[in-house]
Amino acid sequence: MKLKIRSAIVCALVALVSFTSCTERKVSVSATVYCDDSFKNIIQQEIDVFEYRLPKDHILVTYAPQKEALEALFNREAQVVVIGRDLTKAEKEKLEAMKLKPRSQKIAVDAIALIVNKENPVEQLSMKEISEILAGETQRWNQIQPDAPDRRINVILDNEGSSLAFYMRDSLLHGKAFGPNVSAVGSVGSVFEAVKNDAANIGVIGVTWLTANLSLDHSGSELDSYLKNDTSAVNGQDINDRMDAAEVKTIGVMRDRLYPYRPYQQYIYSGEYPLTRPIYLVTTSSAGVPSRFYAFVGGVDGQRLIMRTGVLPARVPIDIYEIKTAE
């Protein structure tokens, strides 16, 4: 009899533990995020601070081409995506037909940087010249500048399905196909290597790969103080320092032939640098970790973090100072 009672108690305890474990597993403490590769340096910093602030919330992030991120959203594999455009009307209607309620917000304005080998004498390109290079109409560097080497121009992208590829094709070629001189090497790091090792190459990257310089190895109090007190913008010297370290250089871009601008934050803000695009955060969740992360990135601290990556935050204005020297 005692044996049966003990067995019943053990079974009851096992059942209680099993029920509790199953219940805990059903409580979501994570969000699945897919982020376009070119925005990795922005979103990883957002994730680091978000998880520090809310230690029970976790972000499971996958860095992938924009095309793959959108596919994950529609396949219900991602609750949040970070892409280089807003959802189209048709995409929103499709998600709504799936009984999902998509929300999107512009979180920043990014700049596209063009990088070349330091041995390349070309310092600037017009928008027309860039379009002609992408289309394969201009194929050699000495067609751009007579003293440049007589070498084929190779345009290097990170991935065929990335937001960078879509932007360059849609904005500069109006949807037409790239020329035979355009190729993808699989990652932004490989773009740097391709340009570093061959003076004939020109790489296309997001500007945060040149400017991300925020270290989050702070204690909680130091980090809170940083976010409250340091709202300084990234300047051109930050980019130049990164360029020197990477052994490449940026190309100045001209909207017309009057003056070339490089992808510095102040020129993104003024609109003078022409190669810019929005960054959108999209979620299909209205509660839990995905919703809290969505609110954090669009909030004051999330926007201050974006400011430190070299792109333009959507909601926090930057201060531009003009220093005049005495004559």
Side-chain angles (χ1 to χ4, degrees):
M1 188 69 176
K2 290 183 178 179
L3 180 60
K4 289 183 179 179
I5 293 174
R6 287 177 180 172
S7 297
I9 292 173
V10 169
C11 290
L13 288 172
V14 170
L16 179 61
V17 171
S18 298
F19 175 78
T20 304
S21 298
C22 289
T23 303
E24 288 177 352
R25 282 198 293 269
K26 289 179 181 177
V27 177
S28 176
V29 293
S30 66
T32 303
V33 176
Y34 270 66
C35 175
D36 183 272
D37 288 310
S38 59
F39 305 136
K40 179 178 180 179
N41 287 332
I42 300 172
I43 294 304
Q44 190 56 56
Q45 294 183 16
E46 297 283 351
I47 291 171
D48 289 344
V49 177
F50 175 78
E51 291 185 342
Y52 163 73
R53 289 283 181 83
L54 299 171
K56 292 184 179 180
D57 288 358
H58 301 287
I59 302 296
L60 307 176
V61 62
T62 298
Y63 296 105
Q66 177 172 284
K67 182 179 179 182
E68 187 177 326
L70 285 168
E71 289 173 352
L73 187 70
F74 284 98
N75 292 335
R76 299 178 186 266
E77 297 169 1
Q79 299 156 309
V80 181
V81 296
V82 186
I83 54 178
R85 63 172 177 83
D86 196 2
L87 294 176
T88 65
K89 181 180 178 181
E91 288 169 336
K92 290 178 181 178
E93 290 174 349
K94 183 177 178 180
L95 289 169
E96 289 167 356
M98 297 166 60
K99 307 300 182 184
L100 297 172
K101 296 181 179 180
R103 290 183 292 156
S104 63
Q105 61 175 330
K106 185 168 78 169
I107 59 172
V109 178
D110 186 27
I112 311 299
L114 304 179
I115 58 173
V116 296
N117 190 288
K118 284 190 173 182
E119 294 181 5
N120 190 326
V122 175
E123 296 287 341
Q124 59 197 42
L125 291 169
S126 68
M127 292 288 282
K128 183 175 184 294
E129 288 170 333
I130 296 169
S131 298
E132 291 171 347
I133 290 171
L134 291 172
E137 296 168 5
T138 299
Q139 300 184 358
R140 309 195 74 79
W141 282 109
N142 61 351
Q143 292 178 263
I144 299 292
Q145 189 169 304
D147 64 341
D150 183 15
R151 293 178 176 176
R152 171 188 165 97
I153 303 174
N154 302 312
V155 181
I156 309 298
L157 296 168
D158 56 344
N159 192 293
E160 291 180 3
S162 73
S163 60
L164 288 169
F166 281 111
Y167 173 86
M168 300 300 279
R169 183 166 50 239
D170 294 344
S171 298
L172 281 82
L173 297 183
H174 307 292
K176 295 180 181 178
F178 288 127
N181 59 321
V182 180
S183 61
V185 290
S187 69
V188 177
S190 297
V191 174
F192 273 101
E193 287 301 310
V195 173
K196 178 180 174 180
N197 296 328
D198 190 339
N201 294 338
I202 179 170
V204 182
I205 61 172
V207 74
T208 58
W209 285 89
L210 307 177
T211 59
N213 58 359
L214 172 62
S215 172
L216 298 178
D217 296 329
H218 301 295
S219 68
S221 60
E222 288 176 334
L223 181 57
D224 285 339
S225 176
Y226 172 86
L227 288 172
K228 290 176 182 176
N229 300 322
D230 190 339
T231 59
S232 57
V234 175
N235 58 42
Q237 189 58 47
D238 295 318
I239 294 182
N240 293 338
D241 290 343
R242 290 292 295 272
M243 291 284 86
D244 289 340
E247 299 181 25
V248 297
K249 66 179 183 181
T250 56
I251 288 287
V253 178
M254 297 176 285
R255 195 179 299 277
D256 48 40
R257 287 194 169 273
L258 293 178
Y259 191 81
Y261 292 92
R262 285 180 164 76
Y264 301 160
Q265 199 170 45
Q266 62 266 37
Y267 299 140
I268 304 173
Y269 177 75
S270 68
E272 292 168 300
Y273 186 75
L275 294 178
T276 61
R277 57 175 178 164
I279 304 175
Y280 274 85
L281 187 69
V282 180
T283 183
T284 54
S285 178
S286 58
V289 182
S291 187
R292 288 193 287 274
F293 183 66
Y294 182 89
F296 173 78
V297 176
V300 173
D301 286 347
Q303 292 287 289
R304 283 176 172 168
L305 286 172
I306 286 175
M307 184 180 296
R308 294 295 299 163
T309 66
V311 302
L312 186 68
R315 295 178 180 84
V316 178
I318 66 172
D319 297 323
I320 302 295
Y321 298 96
E322 182 179 353
I323 300 175
K324 295 182 178 181
T325 57
E327 296 182 359

